[in-house]
Amino acid sequence: MHDYYSLLGITPFSSVSEIKHAFRKKAKEFHPDLQREPNRLEYNTKMTELLIAYRYAIQHHKNIADNEIFENKVVREFNYRQWLVEQETYESSAKLIVFDLFHENEKSAVEEYVRVLQLDRPFYFSKYFSREDFMDYGFVLAEELFFEKHYYESFFLLKDIIAYETERPYFTHFFPEVISLTKKVLDSLSIKNTNIEKIIECYTQALELNLPSRQKKTLRLKLEKLMAD
């Protein structure tokens, strides 16, 4: 059996979030536009191997094993998570969100993100990370927000990610997943959200993004209907 975990640079005990993060990092390394003399055949072969490894790791991920390994990794002399909680700054909140996302505590990450957004001073998650890290962390967070039915908050993270990707590609082969999640979020908005103004705001801003033409056509029709009602 191929050592798929080594190819991705992870362990058999890595969380789903870590697997996705590792895959996107590796995919960026293999992008032909970043090579001086790109060998398309070699690139395609490597990407095929990487995709197989990614699917294998996701399929064989076991939550029980994850929980055990994280328990063994706890540093008893210093509780980093508790330290972040006690700082009570926007930066510590951003880092706490990421910490929880990657330590099987996604619900707490979502709760903290929603809580900070409701404070008086604006909170910009992207401010505290590099461009690439924000795109990685932001997508994982947007996915969890979607699962918890925070569609409005999820959309605005995805909006920034798509804008960054349009300016300079980073996700490459993974980007269709970003578009797919954005479509799910937009489709779900009217189900959860009774605030018509928020739905209109999301649809309007979505039309400015680099989305598939068919998706934009559907959004225009929905927006026209909302404006007419």
Side-chain angles (χ1 to χ4, degrees):
M1 182 185 70
H2 295 289
D3 192 348
Y4 295 127
Y5 296 106
S6 293
L7 180 60
L8 289 167
I10 58 176
T11 74
F13 303 105
S14 295
S15 67
V16 170
S17 298
E18 288 173 318
I19 294 170
K20 291 182 178 180
H21 180 77
F23 170 75
R24 292 193 291 273
K25 290 285 187 183
K26 288 290 183 179
K28 182 182 178 183
E29 290 178 17
F30 294 149
H31 197 289
D33 292 344
L34 300 178
Q35 312 302 322
R36 290 186 177 180
E37 298 179 1
N39 184 321
R40 298 285 172 174
L41 179 60
E42 180 183 0
Y43 165 71
N44 288 333
T45 300
K46 287 182 177 179
M47 277 307 307
T48 298
E49 293 174 351
L50 190 63
L51 284 166
I52 292 172
Y54 169 71
R55 289 167 183 154
Y56 175 89
I58 290 292
Q59 183 178 353
H60 290 80
H61 173 74
K62 295 182 180 179
N63 289 329
I64 294 177
D66 283 355
N67 291 335
E68 290 176 353
I69 196 68
F70 281 125
E71 287 174 5
N72 291 334
K73 284 183 178 179
V74 171
V75 180
R76 301 184 185 283
E77 293 80 5
F78 176 68
N79 188 325
Y80 178 61
R81 186 184 188 283
Q82 184 59 37
W83 181 81
L84 288 173
V85 171
E86 293 171 354
Q87 299 312 297
E88 296 184 350
T89 65
Y90 275 14
E91 182 176 4
S92 63
S93 288
K95 291 179 178 178
L96 176 63
I97 290 165
V98 173
F99 183 89
D100 282 346
L101 279 176
F102 286 86
H103 289 79
E104 303 298 310
N105 201 9
E106 295 90 347
K107 189 168 184 178
S108 291
V110 167
E111 290 174 352
E112 177 65 10
Y113 183 73
V114 173
R115 182 191 73 82
V116 179
L117 285 180
Q118 294 172 347
L119 298 179
D120 294 335
R121 191 159 49 92
F123 173 67
Y124 301 103
F125 188 63
S126 59
K127 177 181 178 181
Y128 304 100
F129 307 101
S130 68
R131 176 184 181 273
E132 289 77 9
D133 281 346
F134 161 70
M135 292 173 75
D136 277 331
Y137 302 155
F139 177 75
V140 176
L141 178 57
E143 198 171 40
E144 295 301 329
L145 284 163
F146 171 73
F147 294 150
E148 295 294 327
K149 300 183 179 180
H150 293 287
Y151 304 127
Y152 182 76
E153 293 80 2
S154 179
F155 169 75
F156 278 95
L157 274 176
L158 291 166
K159 177 183 73 72
D160 290 343
I161 292 169
I162 293 171
Y164 279 141
E165 182 73 13
T166 302
E167 290 174 3
R168 187 171 77 250
Y170 169 66
F171 281 120
T172 59
H173 284 267
F174 192 83
F175 193 57
E177 290 198 31
V178 178
I179 298 299
S180 176
L181 177 60
T182 304
K183 182 180 184 304
K184 291 177 183 177
V185 168
L186 289 169
D187 289 344
S188 301
L189 267 170
S190 58
I191 299 173
K192 164 79 185 301
N193 201 335
T194 55
N195 188 326
I196 302 300
E197 291 183 359
K198 281 190 174 183
I199 301 176
I200 291 174
E201 180 184 6
C202 289
Y203 285 178
T204 302
Q205 296 208 25
L207 287 171
E208 298 176 1
L209 300 175
N210 185 23
L211 298 175
S213 56
R214 182 178 296 180
Q215 188 173 344
K216 282 193 172 184
K217 182 179 179 180
T218 301
L219 281 173
R220 286 193 187 95
L221 292 173
K222 288 184 177 181
L223 184 59
E224 288 173 5
K225 186 176 184 303
L226 284 173
M227 299 290 284
D229 290 344

